[in-house]
Each structure stands twice: as C-alpha cells, then as structure tokens.
Amino acid sequence: MPNLIKFTFIVSLLAVMANLLACTAVTTTPTAIKVPPKVQSPPLAPSAPTMPREVLRPSPAVQNNIQGVTLPKTKRPNASGYLATGNASWSGLANHGMKTASGEIYDVYGMTAAHASLPLLARVRVKNLRTGKSVIVTINDRVDKLSSSNLLIKLSYHAARQLGLLKSVSAVEVRGLAGDR
Amino acid sequence: MIATTILSRTGIIYCFLLLLLSSWNAAAQIVPLETFIEDMVSRHGFNKLELTQLFAKTKVYNSILKIMNRTTSGKGRPWYRYRSNFITDHRISEGTEFWRQHAAALSRAEATYGVPAEIIIAIIGVETIYGKNTGDLPVLDALTTIAFHYPRRAEFFRSELEEFLLLTREEKLNPRLPTGSYAGAMGLGQFMPSSFRKYAVDFDGDGKRDIWDNFTDAIGSVANYFHGYGWQTGQPVILATQVRPEAINSLLSAEFKPLFSLKQLKQQGLLFQDERLDNQLGMLIDLETELGTAYWVGFENFYVITRYNRSENYAMAVYQLAQEIANIYYAQSH
C-alpha cells in the first residue's frame, strides 16, 4: 500500500510538471517531452460510417449456414439407422479456417467430422470402441474414399480429444441420429 | 507551414493526454467516507444519520484487498488452460440440465431479447456454476472495502457503492443483506450494481427484480444485458480463419473492436473463406491452443460478450461452452 501512495504521488507530480510544459508545447517544439509512442498509425481505415446498417446483414438464407449457435435451427437430415465401425483420425490446425463440403468453416474446437457418404449436417454419435466414451458430432465435410480407404470418419481436433484418440488412429463405432421432422 | 501544423497538432494531442492522465490521477485518490456520505445526502436525498450508522457497521476485508492486488498484473493464462477451467464435461451436462429446468423462461428470453438460450446459460454457468457460487460476502462491505481502501479502483467502486445504495432504496432491500463476490458482483449473472439498475428485469412479473434466487429474473436480466449492448440476433459470433503470416501483426494491432468489414480485412491479408460475410464487421482474434496459435474472426456479437467481461478468453469460453451445451441439448431432445 505505501508503494501505491508513493506511486500516486510521483504520478501527480509528473502530471503537474508536464502540464506546465505542455501548455507551451502547443506553440513550441515538443522535443523536450517524450510522448509515449503508443498511438501507432492504424493499418486500416475504418469502413465508411455512411453505410446503412441493414446492408451489413446477410440474408436469412445465408444465416442458416453459418456455423455457430444458430446452427440448430437448420433442418437436419436424418441419419438414423446408419451403423458402422471403422477407423477414425482427426484434422488439426492446417485445416482450421478452411471451408468444408457443407460450406461451414472448419474450427479445431467444433464438434464436427468428415465422412464419405452420410448426409451433410446430419448428426452422429461416435463411440471409442476401446474406452466406450462417446460424443455427438455433426457431419460437415467429406473424406476422400480413394485416398483414405481405411478411414471411416475424420473427426475435428476437439471431438477426437474428447474421445481420447488424439494419439493414433483408433477403432470407433458411428451411429446415425434422427434429423428434424 | 505544414511542419508548424503538425507540431501544434502533436502539442494539442499531448495536452489532451496529460489532461486524461491528471484526471485519472485525481480520480485515483480516495475521498473520505464523510465526503461520500455528504454527497449521497445532497445529490440523492439520503438521511445523513442513517448512512453514518450504516457505514459504522461495515466491515473492511483485508482478504478482498489481497485479491485486488493479485489480479492486476500480466496477460493471463493461455487460452487452452483458461478453457479447461471453464469448459468441463460437468459444466456442459449441468448446462443442459439447467436448460431443461428453465426451458420456458429461456425461450421467452430468447423471443423477447433475441439472445440464444445457450448463451444465457453459458454466462450463468461460467459466472456462478448455474447459481451454485454467487458469493457470500455482503455487497455493502465488499464495495466499501475497495472504494475507501484501494486507491487504484476507488473511483469506480465509489460509483458502484452509490449505485448499490440507490438500488437497495429502489428495490426496498436492506442494504446489509445482499451478498455477492469479493468485488460486489451479485446473483446468478454476477451483475455489478450499475448493471443491475440498467439491465435487471422483473421477468416473472412478481413486482421484484431478484437476480439472486429468482432464476426467471436472472435469465431475463442476462438476456436484457446482451440486448442492451447490441446483440445481433442470428448473426455469427466468431468463426475460424487463416491469415497471411506477414499480415498478422498489423491485423492484431488494430483496436479491439469490429471496425472493419471482412472485405477490408481480406485486402489486408485475412484469408477468411466465406465470401457471403464480406460486409460483416469483424476483427482478428488469436488464441493459444495446444496445437499452436490459431486464428478467428470475432464479429459484433463476440465483442458484445466481452462487454460482460473484458477478456477474449472469457468471451471464447462463453461461446464454446454455449455451443457444447447446445450440441448435447439438441441431440437429446430428439
């Protein structure tokens, strides 16, 4: 606490001194005073404020495809009845920010996956067959059948981490969930 | 001629900075309690004797001052460590449970204020673990401790103390009774007194704004807070992006506010892959993941979450917890 009082005192002293100097600085060169170089010239010019706000909103059709909290309002395709086992891998930072087959943008923290055939935006439950732990993910991308013939599903980083299979390719069960009626 | 103009410009800016500095300095000084009481009497018509007696019984908590001294330094934890503190399996499943229990109030709040249920739930989950941890310090003591014993934040907390006295008078509460955090944040959504007065709502129409024990009021109040700060219904919050390495520094040095359209940001090196959002305003966000630094575009709604707590980590935790809760909730409701 004494340190703070001391600090406050010094700052106030500085402020008084600098104020005296600054009033002359308006008309003379302020070279004697070190202005903290905090204010950098902004790299960008702000967008024109004259643009009406309405113009900045995407149409409702666009909104439904944006990955985020609005997602559940899209009509989900049905995947119930689908059941398969196979290997799972995951994708990392290289794909973060890349567009998926569904139009959504891949996010390492999303609960999503790529699959060869399930309808896009369908939901599935993926179970780690070694541990029994399961998560729910949305299919938002395609895995290429030819290049990864041994792969059933490619999970997002976060989904793979939740399932505890970051370390290696692992066997999983994929069960389709019902869509919106 | 040009040189003179520039010089005097610099001088004016500098004078302005100094004015700010000296006013900050003056503000940092603690005013005596007597002055504060006089002020409450003359500006708000409080009874001097009553206030004097009220403050004679307040307690100064050294533990609060210790916490205040601890929380001032540093950039904070990397995102992935912050995240694991707030987004746990437990907090996700309790969030879906909270949703089921308060579904009616949550959907009414969503319809009234345009704020998604999962965002309201995530705020209450992060702030107080769905009401389990609202704080048990008398708010009057907490605010008095900081306002009169912690110079650096004295002005802000003096003003919150003023708001607190006004709100207890308006709500007909005994000022000794409300409890909260060490900093005087109250109820399920941890509202400061000024936020209570501005944004708390009586969402169940029982004539009282009760954000401590009335979940319906707390839910409506959090939604109204976001609405008040400009939540844009149906708009994105934050989306992953790539960025040209050489553009990262300049994009991150811009003001923390979505001021530029994505079209403009792309011209500066942002590699955002959804051209349908070109006219949206955004800002580049970088966070440390276990895999390395990852980048996102934060939109207006992300900025609105930071009005609840001015931290990128906080806003991202709220958003991701909301998404995880919604993911489970919607799958279960089928």
Side-chain angles (χ1 to χ4, degrees), chain B residues 186-202:
Chain B
M186 306 175 295
L188 285 146
Q190 296 285 282
F191 274 35
M192 290 303 287
S194 56
S195 299
F196 183 110
R197 290 188 72 222
K198 251 188 235 149
Y199 300 111
V201 291
D202 171 19

Side-chain angles (χ1 to χ4, degrees), chain B residues 31-322:
Chain B
V31 306
L33 178 61
E34 297 69 43
T35 313
F36 175 78
I37 291 175
E38 295 285 353
D39 201 39
M40 292 302 289
V41 171
S42 65
R43 286 197 301 126
H44 302 297
F46 277 83
N47 180 305
K48 188 176 175 179
L49 183 65
E50 275 173 26
L51 276 190
T52 309
Q53 284 168 347
L54 181 70
F55 280 106
K57 284 185 187 159
T58 53
K59 193 180 160 210
V60 173
Y61 284 81
N62 280 320
S63 53
I64 293 177
L65 297 172
K66 271 189 198 146
I67 297 172
M68 293 298 287
N69 278 320
R70 231 194 297 144
T71 53
T72 50
S73 63
K75 207 200 160 221
R77 278 165 289 176
W79 155 247
Y80 62 90
R81 285 218 206 118
Y82 186 95
R83 185 187 199 283
S84 59
N85 265 9
F86 289 102
I87 308 181
T88 59
D89 285 353
H90 196 59
R91 214 176 294 218
I92 295 164
S93 62
E94 282 193 52
T96 60
E97 190 48 42
F98 184 93
W99 199 333
R100 267 186 287 277
Q101 270 173 27
H102 306 288
L106 285 161
S107 62
R108 193 157 55 86
E110 190 164 342
T112 310
Y113 302 109
V115 182
E118 59 267 35
I119 292 284
I120 303 169
I121 297 166
I123 285 281
I124 294 174
V126 166
E127 291 290 341
T128 62
I129 318 182
Y130 310 107
K132 284 185 198 64
N133 184 20
T134 57
D136 53 11
L137 286 173
V139 173
L140 181 67
D141 289 351
L143 295 174
T144 305
T145 296
I146 305 175
F148 299 104
H149 302 275
Y150 192 74
R152 208 175 62 82
R153 302 302 307 279
E155 186 194 25
F156 174 76
F157 280 91
R158 203 160 60 233
S159 132
E160 288 298 330
L161 181 60
E162 174 182 349
E163 297 275 350
F164 177 73
L165 292 172
L166 290 169
L167 100 79
T168 50
R169 183 169 72 177
E170 287 156 6
E171 302 293 317
K172 301 183 177 61
L173 297 170
N174 177 346
R176 286 186 213 287
L177 296 183
T179 54
S181 75
Y182 72 89
M186 306 175 295
L188 285 146
Q190 296 285 282
F191 274 35
M192 290 303 287
S194 56
S195 299
F196 183 110
R197 290 188 72 222
K198 251 188 235 149
Y199 300 111
V201 291
D202 171 19
F203 204 48
D204 68 351
D206 68 353
K208 284 185 302 231
R209 298 191 284 176
D210 176 4
I211 58 170
W212 291 269
D213 300 309
N214 186 322
F215 282 65
T216 304
D217 284 3
I219 286 164
S221 299
V222 169
N224 187 39
Y225 187 99
F226 275 83
H227 176 70
Y229 275 96
W231 183 268
Q232 299 180 353
T233 309
Q235 299 300 303
V237 176
I238 188 163
L239 289 170
T241 191
Q242 302 256 332
V243 58
R244 281 188 209 290
E246 67 274 16
I248 292 170
N249 281 342
S250 78
L251 283 170
L252 287 176
S253 69
E255 191 186 340
F256 185 80
K257 212 170 186 224
L259 289 175
F260 306 103
S261 74
L262 262 57
K263 200 176 196 167
Q264 287 174 309
L265 295 173
K266 281 174 173 178
Q267 283 159 6
Q268 299 295 319
L270 186 78
L271 299 169
F272 185 71
Q273 296 212 345
D274 195 335
E275 58 293 335
R276 295 167 305 181
L277 299 175
D278 271 0
N279 291 329
Q280 289 267 345
L281 301 180
M283 57 180 159
L284 184 66
I285 303 289
D286 64 326
L287 293 171
E288 282 309 309
T289 77
E290 290 95 331
L291 303 171
T293 307
Y295 299 92
W296 283 265
V297 175
F299 296 91
E300 187 64 32
N301 283 342
F302 185 77
Y303 183 74
V304 172
I305 304 177
T306 67
R307 298 307 89 189
Y308 214 96
N309 186 327
R310 283 155 208 226
S311 140
E312 290 175 29
N313 281 348
Y314 175 88
M316 192 58 149
V318 166
Y319 173 68
Q320 289 191 357
L321 178 62

Side-chain angles (χ1 to χ4, degrees), chain A residues 12 22 33 44-46 53 56 58 68-69 72-73 94 96 99 107 109 123 133 136 157-158 161 180, chain B residues 14 18 25 79 89 110 118 232 235 239 242 260 268 273 279-280 290 295-296 319 324 327 330 334:
Chain A
S12 53
I33 307 150
L44 306 158
R53 203 74 180 148
L56 299 175
V69 285
K73 278 160 202 139
H96 183 78
K99 197 183 250 181
D107 186 318
Y109 286 106
R123 245 192 259 269
K133 170 134 182 144
I136 293 160
Y157 160 71
H158 184 54
R161 183 171 58 168
D180 294 332
Chain B
Y14 188 58
L18 284 170
N25 179 49
W79 155 247
D89 285 353
E110 190 164 342
E118 59 267 35
Q232 299 180 353
Q235 299 300 303
L239 289 170
Q242 302 256 332
F260 306 103
Q268 299 295 319
Q273 296 212 345
N279 291 329
Q280 289 267 345
E290 290 95 331
Y295 299 92
W296 283 265
Y319 173 68
E324 300 249 0
N327 185 42
Y330 284 117
H334 271 95

Side-chain angles (χ1 to χ4, degrees), chain A residues 13-177:
Chain A
L13 211 74
L14 277 173
V16 168
M17 275 161 43
N19 259 329
L20 285 172
L21 280 167
C23 296
T24 50
V26 178
T27 46
T28 59
T29 27
T31 43
I33 307 150
K34 286 249 187 317
V35 182
K38 219 191 154 192
V39 194
Q40 298 172 338
S41 58
L44 306 158
S47 51
T50 47
M51 204 174 198
R53 203 74 180 148
E54 281 69 29
V55 178
L56 299 175
R57 295 168 192 277
S59 68
V62 173
Q63 286 177 29
N64 280 341
N65 274 325
I66 296 164
Q67 190 201 345
V69 285
T70 51
L71 235 187
K73 278 160 202 139
T74 43
K75 199 167 187 309
R76 270 178 199 286
N78 187 35
S80 65
Y82 178 90
L83 181 63
T85 55
N87 286 330
S89 71
W90 57 277
S91 49
L93 274 190
N95 289 321
H96 183 78
M98 306 299 268
K99 197 183 250 181
T100 63
S102 68
E104 283 184 5
I105 291 169
Y106 173 70
D107 186 318
V108 287
Y109 286 106
M111 291 296 276
T112 58
H115 187 274
S117 59
L118 278 165
L120 290 172
L121 300 182
R123 245 192 259 269
V124 297
R125 182 176 283 279
V126 182
K127 186 157 93 180
N128 181 341
L129 289 173
R130 191 168 42 83
T131 62
K133 170 134 182 144
S134 71
V135 296
I136 293 160
V137 297
T138 299
I139 302 296
N140 73 347
D141 208 1
R142 292 291 177 220
V143 276
D144 184 356
K145 261 184 183 164
L146 296 171
S147 72
S148 44
S149 50
N150 219 5
L151 197 63
L152 174 64
I153 195 165
K154 194 171 191 180
L155 297 159
S156 65
Y157 160 71
H158 184 54
R161 183 171 58 168
Q162 295 283 89
L163 282 177
L165 41 75
L166 283 180
K167 295 275 153 66
S168 59
V169 173
S170 314
V172 295
E173 175 195 274
V174 176
R175 187 184 290 272
L177 299 178

